[in-house]
Amino acid sequence: MTMPFIENLGQKDPQVAYYAQTLGGTLFVTRDGGMVYALPSQVLSEKAVARAAGQPVTGQARSGTGVSIFHGDLSLPEVPAYDEISVGEISPGVVLRLKAYGGRVEKFFHVAPQADPASIRMRVDGAESLSVTPDGSLAATKAGAGGVRFS
């Protein structure tokens, strides 16, 4: 099940551009292209190392799901929601797009023909250790909080 990314029109911190509520927690995508995973047991952040400043994070595929926000004094009856968002160019010729599915977020790295996929560098903060599992997933672990796998 695809979960839409909801555009932040004032209902969240101003640094947040979009967010998606998944079965595993909430992913906040910041205006500077960072991703903050608010999970039940921990908070992790991820960012492309070489992403140029000033690029907007944009909605790419408008969702068929309607979203309304009613909370205290804030009433936003028609909030734009997207099935896919673009974080922008994260290294020369490489664009990162995100989709949220139920309990996970999927990253799509669109690599132009002349671009070098080896230039993709992501930084993960909030974990005490990172390791690659036998199936190729990235495991981020923190004592007392368990682990998170990035496939």
Side-chain angles (χ1 to χ4, degrees):
M1 170 171 60
T2 301
M3 310 296 288
F5 283 92
I6 301 166
E7 188 171 352
N8 181 21
L9 299 177
Q11 69 272 29
K12 300 291 180 189
D13 184 283
Q15 293 180 27
V16 173
Y18 296 88
Y19 60 99
Q21 184 68 47
T22 70
L23 299 176
T26 304
L27 168 65
F28 298 97
V29 182
T30 61
R31 297 193 188 283
D32 67 355
M35 294 162 276
V36 178
Y37 302 90
L39 308 170
S41 61
Q42 64 185 325
V43 175
L44 295 172
S45 64
E46 181 179 21
K47 192 167 188 177
V49 174
R51 184 179 185 274
Q55 295 183 75
V57 176
T58 57
Q60 296 296 301
R62 191 75 185 251
S63 177
T65 303
V67 176
S68 297
I69 305 289
F70 299 99
H71 180 72
D73 292 338
L74 181 64
S75 177
L76 300 169
E78 295 182 28
V79 179
Y82 298 87
D83 290 332
E84 183 177 316
I85 62 172
S86 174
V87 174
E89 191 173 67
I90 62 162
S91 64
V94 179
V95 173
L96 173 58
R97 291 192 175 177
L98 306 173
K99 286 186 181 181
Y101 296 95
R104 69 181 202 270
V105 173
E106 194 167 351
K107 295 180 201 80
F108 295 89
F109 296 93
H110 296 264
V111 181
Q114 77 284 3
D116 181 7
S119 70
I120 299 170
R121 297 278 188 260
M122 303 298 289
R123 177 184 171 133
V124 177
D125 290 315
E128 291 175 354
S129 68
L130 298 172
S131 60
V132 178
T133 65
D135 71 357
S137 297
L138 176 67
T141 57
K142 185 174 183 179
V148 175
R149 291 179 70 166
F150 295 89
S151 58

